[in-house]
Amino acid sequence: MSTTIAVIADVHGNSRALLSALAEIDRDPQVKHIYCIGDMVGIGYETNEVLQILFSRKDISFVIGNHEEELIAILEGEDGDSQGGEKLHHEWLAKRFDQRLLPKLEAIPKEIMVEYEGQRILFTHYHLDAEQRFLPIDVEPTAEKLDQLYKESPFDLVCFGHHHPVHQFSSAQRTYLNPGSLGCYDKPSARYAIVELTATEINVALKHVAYDNQDFLLGYEQLNVPEKEFILNIFHGNQTLNK
């Protein structure tokens, strides 16, 4: 017996990347469910489009990310934690936000815990402290450091995102998986992971699917997205536009 799931993270307002990944996942008849582990919005500008795609499906479960938390805070008249250009970006997103999506966004939890084939899995946007706040990003994670962080946990697999590079570690205690940002990458490629679980094994396949991102990148200029130069440089690797 085995169960297969898909894990996506950090879509970041990029509907073209999301649709490309979902199309490929949908062609795999073995995939039982999809887990989307936060930061569906922000950085990219297609907040409404991404949320409408994700919320229209019955086979996706969600955990909330820091960008959703910031967007909700602004929509509810609170300050949030973002500052400077990032805050301007979030405020711009909030002004364009479809308020009909807010109840579903607010209902998303910070963690999901499930079990398949006897394997216990934690899904979280990033590692949490005792007050359920996201920890600072560790830019050089290791299995040893993660084992120390999760030493009291019962999980066999911990799935997280937030830090955009791919991370996959296995120790004697458990497997750790960050499939990489689906929507922010220095190549026109959407990343995700397929996980096959049996009673004795956790098998991870890191996937990527090419897509045409030219219109998406051009949209930053056309819409005059706040912080567009920084975003295109840092999160999309200054990819060349074929204008």
Side-chain angles (χ1 to χ4, degrees), residues 110-173:
K110 271 201 166 172
E111 296 178 306
I112 295 175
M113 303 164 208
V114 299
E115 183 172 321
Y116 295 113
E117 310 299 336
Q119 304 280 11
R120 292 161 295 185
I121 310 171
L122 171 68
F123 298 97
T124 183
H125 180 58
Y126 200 63
H127 321 302
L128 299 169
D129 65 15
E131 284 74 45
Q132 292 287 288
R133 295 173 302 197
F134 296 120
L135 292 172
I137 287 177
D138 181 352
V139 298
E140 294 183 352
T142 64
E144 292 74 20
K145 287 194 281 186
L146 290 167
D147 274 347
Q148 184 65 23
L149 189 61
Y150 287 95
K151 63 182 178 181
E152 304 297 333
S153 85
F155 302 107
D156 303 295
L157 171 63
V158 174
C159 296
F160 63 96
H162 190 39
H163 192 200
H164 292 178
V166 172
H167 299 117
Q168 182 186 354
F169 306 106
S170 292
S171 71
Q173 280 67 47

Side-chain angles (χ1 to χ4, degrees), residues 67 76 91 99 114 123 165 184 200 205 208 212 221 232 242:
H67 281 268
E76 294 182 343
E91 289 173 343
Q99 293 278 344
V114 299
F123 298 97
C184 290
T200 57
H208 58 89
D212 185 348
E221 301 288 345
L232 288 168
N242 300 320

